[in-house]
Amino acid sequence: MSDSAISAEFKLSGKANWYNAGVAIVFDKNANKLVDLTDFNKVTVTLKCSLTNSLYFGLSAHDEKVTQENIPITYRSSGVFINCDTEWREVVVNLDSLEVAPWWLHKFGLKASDNKLYMDKIIRAYLETTYGSPRDVDSMVSISRISFSGQRYNVLVNFFAFASLIWIALAIWTIKFYSSAKQNISEVEQPLSYEQLTFNSVRERDRQAIIDYIAKNFSNPEIDNESVSKAVGVSRTKVNEILKSEYGSTFTNHINKLRVIEASRLLAEKSDAHITEIAYLVGFKNISYFNKLFKEEFGLTPKEVRGKGTQI
């Protein structure tokens, strides 16, 4: 098997703000040609990789309303996280279960229900490291084959002879990759409920609007004071004042608290979901930062909470 594999050794730089390494797979000499994969319902990836790494396998599709050529973040994308093993293993991905992440739909102003991947307009497949992968550590990935299968076809991609395969270390795509694996986790439910209030003043109306908007959007990694103030129609100062008055907290601290509370629930309820997946799903971009805040909030690491099997 290793005779027909492609391998890469790499080190993710600790000096870069955004970093990843990956392999892009195109289906035609014309890298921007779209292919129809609707006849396929499964893809099997045979690989091995350093235990310290975690990988993400995904598909990118063209969206006529959003996609801009050669700007990867504008593609509809979905995929699954893969735990690494130094022995050869097969990872099976159910293509029928892939859905576009809620944060991507929100970013481009699309409805949450519009989460199909558009399997008839696939532009590339990709396999890359995640933010859970360590920096400044020697790493290795070897890929033997990728097999797409369905009711009518079975296609084996042999990487030894596949000329369109390119490994690019240190940011194959220069984007912030905020993946949200939806294969095993349902969309985040809101961890807090709020009483219905009678608005007797403008302040009460603003208060409720701010609280409701944050409760519905805290898992969006792009949320910040500016986006909340624009969405609600108040100043950034007003947002800070409301949060300080209601929770005695800054904007950032309040968002982080909501995220770790929701993460604790998902860790207990979604035993088949990886900790890295949960961190990304609730809005964290950095797994180390998530672990740090989680430990500060609960006195336990996410792994320890997962072992308990109950929500804190």
Side-chain angles (χ1 to χ4, degrees), residues 164-213:
S164 297
L165 187 64
I166 305 172
W167 183 274
I168 306 175
L170 302 179
I172 183 174
W173 288 346
T174 54
I175 64 170
K176 304 173 184 178
F177 187 78
Y178 308 140
S179 83
S180 172
K182 290 296 296 294
Q183 182 181 22
N184 296 321
I185 311 176
S186 60
E187 187 172 352
V188 175
E189 299 174 5
Q190 307 311 323
L192 303 177
S193 60
Y194 302 93
E195 296 179 358
Q196 295 296 320
L197 302 179
T198 301
F199 298 135
N200 297 319
S201 67
V202 173
R203 179 177 175 80
E204 281 298 305
R205 182 192 63 198
D206 292 343
R207 169 189 174 278
Q208 189 68 22
I210 291 168
I211 291 174
D212 286 348
Y213 183 84

Side-chain angles (χ1 to χ4, degrees), residues 244-290:
K244 188 68 174 179
S245 174
E246 290 295 318
Y247 306 108
S249 178
T250 64
F251 179 89
T252 299
N253 288 342
H254 181 59
I255 293 295
N256 286 336
K257 187 176 183 68
L258 291 177
R259 288 173 174 172
V260 295
I261 289 173
E262 179 63 1
S264 73
R265 183 184 71 82
L266 292 176
L267 284 167
E269 296 182 3
K270 307 295 182 181
S271 59
D272 56 349
H274 301 308
I275 291 175
T276 301
E277 295 175 358
I278 290 175
Y280 293 155
L281 185 62
V282 299
F284 286 100
K285 307 171 187 177
N286 184 295
I287 187 65
S288 297
Y289 186 53
F290 164 67

Side-chain angles (χ1 to χ4, degrees), residues 96-153:
D96 294 333
S97 69
L98 297 183
E99 295 179 350
V100 178
W103 72 262
W104 189 90
L105 298 171
H106 180 272
K107 179 178 180 64
F108 293 104
L110 302 176
K111 295 180 179 179
S113 58
D114 186 16
N115 59 359
K116 292 184 179 179
L117 184 56
Y118 296 175
M119 293 298 294
D120 60 333
K121 298 178 180 178
I122 298 297
I123 192 168
R124 63 168 60 91
Y126 57 92
L127 182 73
E128 63 183 8
T129 58
T130 72
Y131 284 101
S133 299
R135 302 191 188 197
D136 297 321
V137 173
D138 291 329
S139 299
M140 173 277 298
V141 174
S142 293
I143 311 166
S144 174
R145 63 176 179 264
I146 292 181
S147 175
F148 288 83
S149 58
Q151 295 181 349
R152 290 194 292 169
Y153 301 102

Side-chain angles (χ1 to χ4, degrees), residues 73-86:
I73 198 173
T74 64
Y75 299 136
R76 281 181 172 260
S77 296
S78 184
V80 297
F81 287 88
I82 299 173
N83 284 333
C84 279
D85 196 315
T86 54

